[in-house]
């Protein structure tokens, strides 16, 4: 007889009618949506998308889709996970109801886009006010402006959809342009301000697309960025892009708005004497790492007096950075001494070369936000209609921002969860199991005390309760 030792306990499985919940951790998001007065805002903006006598109102439909995306859903039908726990999530719309709702969006895309933009701006103003001393709008100054990152990405699709096209990488799909707010490493993960869906054959260096998504992003900023006449305080905002945003047309547009900018720049073919000057590192100063500490193997320099910039906005300066080539990287014309030389342009009022370089290199954080946004719904656009897919992209953005707002306004500063990305929230908190019990004419959600993040869930629920009371007292007026 053979005996085997199991790796894990072998427990028989059977079905039960008990009120068990597999995504009990999502209760923090349901509570947060309630505290934000989400239902009323949706009723005000989107009531035209449902019949007047409909049981499932816009807030419930959009809220269910948002929760599903935050939990890792990829299709509208994935809300059946919420439908399986009516005691926690209430009555959830059927797949047919959601389909009809999205069909009405397809018929009135401009109305939905306007309603969604005004709703998210109102919610953002409320959340940022609740952040108190960490309010990104109050922290923004000319010396330390709010940073808006702009970047394009590719979303591949495997069937023909409206306005999809071939991409420069040989794929097929869309090339959305995304605007993101990076309000500092110590204040959370940042959020997405706008997603502008585009056909896959639209170039990343389109000045028109940069202007369009930036316009949408600026419209999302709270009133603190505008004076009493509605004029933008441009000096409190810095737009950061890769080299695709370095076109003269786009930079002149930024200058006309009074905005600061920091954009990567492709070096032109230089003269031999300039290449030799680059090799002379005695003119350079050490670069800084992400923590502000000096690096011994990287250097930066202001090259404005050596490299002439023509037809760029007044005050534009060019900075160079030199660092060792990464393993496997191929040297180009300028990498004559084994160092890779890169450049960026800026019109910032600060002239600390190492600081400006470190701030520009922090643009890499926007890549994490794009990756997270794709895993929250943007990576799989489920509809044939372009308007419906744009609405889906907006919902993906909202699901990501809902968690970012929790980190900013509910969690205390310095909490370890304030820098978690959405995948970690899903694994550590949202997937937490629970049980619904009734007693004393009240239902309660029971969470295992040994669950690793049980205390975090209770802390969030308590913080959301405080947030709601502040809103009721009128302290968070948008």
């Amino acid at each position: 007889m053979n005996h085997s030792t199991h790796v894990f306990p072998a427990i028989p499985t059977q079905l039960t009618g008990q009120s068990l919940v597999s995504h009990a951790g999502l209760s923090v998001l349901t509570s947060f949506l309630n505290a934000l007065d989400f239902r009323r805002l949706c009723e005000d903006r989107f009531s035209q998308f449902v019949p007047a006598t409909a049981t499932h109102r816009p807030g419930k439909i959009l809220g269910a889709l948002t929760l599903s995306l935050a939990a890792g859903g990829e299709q509208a039908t994935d809300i059946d996970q919420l439908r399986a726990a009516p005691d926690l999530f209430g009555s959830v719309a059927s797949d047919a109801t959601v389909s009809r709702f999205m069909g009405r969006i397809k018929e009135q895309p401009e109305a939905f886009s306007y309603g969604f933009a005004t709703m998210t701006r109102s919610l953002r103003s409320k959340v940022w006010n609740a952040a108190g001393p960490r309010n990104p709008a109050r922290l923004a100054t000319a010396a330390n402006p709010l940073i808006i990152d702009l970047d394009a990405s590719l979303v591949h699709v495997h069937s023909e959809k409206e306005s999809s096209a071939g991409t420069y990488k040989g794929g097929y799909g869309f090339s959305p342009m995304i605007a993101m707010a990076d309000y500092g490493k110590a204040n959370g993960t940042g959020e997405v301000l706008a997603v502008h869906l585009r056909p896959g054959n639209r170039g990343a260096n389109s000045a028109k697309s940069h202007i369009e998504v930036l316009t949408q992003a600026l419209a999302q900023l709270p009133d603190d960025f505008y004076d009493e006449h509605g004029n933008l305080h441009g000096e409190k905002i810095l737009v950061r892009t890769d080299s695709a945003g370095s076109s003269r047309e786009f930079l002149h547009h930024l200058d006309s708005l009074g905005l600061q900018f920091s954009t990567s720049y492709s070096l032109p073919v230089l003269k031999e004497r300039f290449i030799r000057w680059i090799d002379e590192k005695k003119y350079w100063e050490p670069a800084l790492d992400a923590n502000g500490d000096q690096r011994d193997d990287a250097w930066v320099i202001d090259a404005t007096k050596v490299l002439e910039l023509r037809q760029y906005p007044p005050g534009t300066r060019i900075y160079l950075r030199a660092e060792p080539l990464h393993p496997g990287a191929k040297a180009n014309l300028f990498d004559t001494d084994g160092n890779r030389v890169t450049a960026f342009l800026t019109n910032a009022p600060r002239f600390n070369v190492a600081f400006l370089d470190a701030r520009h290199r922090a643009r890499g954080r926007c890549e994490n936000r794009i990756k997270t946004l794709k895993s929250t719904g943007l990576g799989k656009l489920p509809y044939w209609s372009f308007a419906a897919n744009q609405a889906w992209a907006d919902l993906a953005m909202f699901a990501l921002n809902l968690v970012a707002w929790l980190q900013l306004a509910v969690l205390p500063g310095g909490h370890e969860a304030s820098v978690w990305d959405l995948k970690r929230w899903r694994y550590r908190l949202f997937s937490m199991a629970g049980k619904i019990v009734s007693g004393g004419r009240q239902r309660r959600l029971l969470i295992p005390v040994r669950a690793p993040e049980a205390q975090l869930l209770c802390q969030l629920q308590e913080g959301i309760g405080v947030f709601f009371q502040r809103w009721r007292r009128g302290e968070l007026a948008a």
Side-chain angles (χ1 to χ4, degrees):
M1 179 181 292
N2 294 324
H3 297 277
S4 63
T5 302
H6 297 297
V7 177
F8 298 104
I11 302 176
T13 302
Q14 65 183 49
L15 302 179
T16 179
Q18 297 186 40
S19 299
L20 306 178
V21 184
S22 61
H23 286 83
L26 284 176
S27 61
V28 298
L29 294 186
T30 61
S31 298
F32 195 39
L33 285 171
N34 289 337
L36 289 169
D37 200 22
F38 182 70
R39 182 186 180 94
R40 183 189 63 80
L41 281 172
C42 287
E43 191 68 28
D44 180 59
R45 265 66 169 191
F46 308 115
S47 59
Q48 71 270 36
F49 293 98
V50 298
T53 58
T55 300
H56 297 286
R57 307 307 301 168
K60 199 59 184 291
I61 296 174
L62 293 176
L65 290 172
T66 300
L67 291 178
S68 176
L69 291 173
E74 296 180 340
Q75 303 288 340
T77 55
D78 288 336
I79 62 172
D80 59 356
Q81 291 283 356
L82 310 181
R83 201 177 294 126
D87 290 332
L88 181 60
F89 301 110
S91 177
V92 178
S94 66
D95 294 345
T97 299
V98 174
S99 179
R100 288 193 293 270
F101 183 79
M102 299 302 291
R104 296 185 183 100
I105 291 176
K106 180 177 62 175
E107 297 169 358
Q108 306 177 66
E110 294 83 5
F112 180 83
S113 296
Y114 177 79
F116 197 88
T118 55
M119 180 194 71
T120 52
R121 184 179 189 272
S122 176
L123 294 176
R124 178 173 290 106
S125 298
K126 188 182 301 183
V127 170
W128 285 21
N129 284 337
R134 295 191 293 159
N135 183 339
R138 296 175 187 169
L139 291 174
T141 63
N144 293 289
L146 174 72
I147 296 175
I148 297 179
D149 288 305
L150 305 183
D151 203 356
S153 187
L154 296 179
V155 175
H156 298 289
V157 298
H158 302 286
S159 62
E160 186 175 357
K161 298 178 185 291
E162 184 181 13
S163 297
S164 57
T167 69
Y168 74 95
K169 286 190 175 182
Y172 186 80
F174 299 93
S175 176
M177 184 71 73
I178 306 166
M180 299 150 281
D182 182 356
Y183 37 68
K185 186 177 180 181
N187 293 328
T189 55
E191 60 186 85
V192 180
L193 297 175
V195 179
H196 178 49
L197 202 60
R198 307 181 303 161
N201 57 1
R202 293 289 296 274
N205 59 349
S206 167
K208 180 181 178 182
S209 294
H210 278 80
I211 293 173
E212 288 176 349
V213 75
L214 176 64
T215 301
Q216 296 175 22
L218 294 177
Q220 285 292 305
L221 297 180
D223 290 338
D224 290 337
F225 285 96
Y226 296 85
D227 61 21
E228 63 275 12
H229 303 294
N231 298 315
L232 182 70
H233 292 304
E235 72 280 358
K236 297 168 61 176
I237 302 169
L238 181 140
V239 177
R240 188 169 58 187
T241 74
D242 57 12
S243 58
S246 63
S247 67
R248 293 177 177 85
E249 179 183 354
F250 180 59
L251 295 185
H252 277 289
H253 176 74
L254 297 180
D255 182 65
S256 68
L257 297 176
L259 299 172
Q260 299 183 45
F261 59 80
S262 180
T263 174
S264 299
Y265 180 69
S266 298
L267 286 170
V269 177
L270 308 179
K271 297 180 179 179
E272 182 181 357
R273 62 178 180 83
F274 183 69
I275 297 176
R276 292 176 180 174
W277 174 77
I278 287 178
D279 294 341
E280 293 291 335
K281 293 301 182 291
K282 64 182 180 180
Y283 300 112
W284 299 55
E285 63 180 87
L288 301 178
D289 60 20
N291 297 319
D293 299 322
Q294 183 173 303
R295 287 187 55 176
D296 296 329
D297 59 346
W299 306 267
V300 290
I301 193 172
D302 184 348
T304 307
K305 295 182 179 180
V306 179
L307 273 174
E308 183 180 3
L309 296 174
R310 297 181 179 178
Q311 299 179 348
Y312 281 92
T316 302
R317 306 185 304 279
I318 181 170
Y319 293 90
L320 302 183
R321 176 188 177 93
E323 61 184 337
L325 289 168
H326 298 296
K330 185 178 180 181
N332 59 29
L333 176 65
F334 311 117
D335 305 331
T336 56
D337 61 347
N339 291 307
R340 169 60 45 86
V341 177
T342 55
F344 70 96
L345 306 176
T346 186
N347 64 345
R350 299 181 65 162
F351 289 83
N352 184 322
V353 182
F355 168 82
L356 293 173
D357 172 73
R359 184 171 68 179
H360 181 73
R361 287 176 60 81
R363 200 192 71 84
R365 288 201 289 264
C366 79
E367 301 293 343
N368 291 331
R369 292 187 205 99
I370 293 176
K371 180 184 68 175
T372 301
L373 185 61
K374 286 185 174 181
S375 71
T376 314
L378 183 64
K380 293 188 176 180
L381 301 172
Y383 298 100
W384 178 86
S385 164
F386 183 83
N389 281 328
Q390 176 64 67
W392 184 264
D394 290 336
L395 286 172
M397 171 183 66
F398 184 62
L400 185 152
N401 287 344
L402 202 60
V403 177
W405 292 341
L406 267 179
Q407 294 171 311
L408 180 67
V410 178
L411 281 176
H415 195 285
E416 63 173 354
S418 65
V419 294
W420 286 0
D421 66 9
L422 189 52
K423 286 186 177 180
R424 187 165 180 82
W425 279 91
R426 290 170 179 165
Y427 183 74
R428 301 289 296 182
L429 189 74
F430 297 161
S431 62
M432 188 181 297
K435 182 177 181 178
I436 303 291
V437 298
S438 299
R441 299 181 180 180
Q442 188 178 25
R443 286 181 302 176
R444 294 182 298 276
L445 173 64
L446 301 183
I447 298 295
V449 69
R450 291 186 294 178
E453 304 303 339
Q455 293 302 317
L456 173 61
L457 187 147
C458 293
Q459 183 180 9
L460 286 169
Q461 291 286 17
E462 181 180 352
I464 291 170
V466 173
F467 179 96
F468 180 63
Q469 292 303 322
R470 292 181 62 191
W471 172 75
R472 292 188 65 179
R473 293 193 298 266
E475 299 176 12
L476 306 179

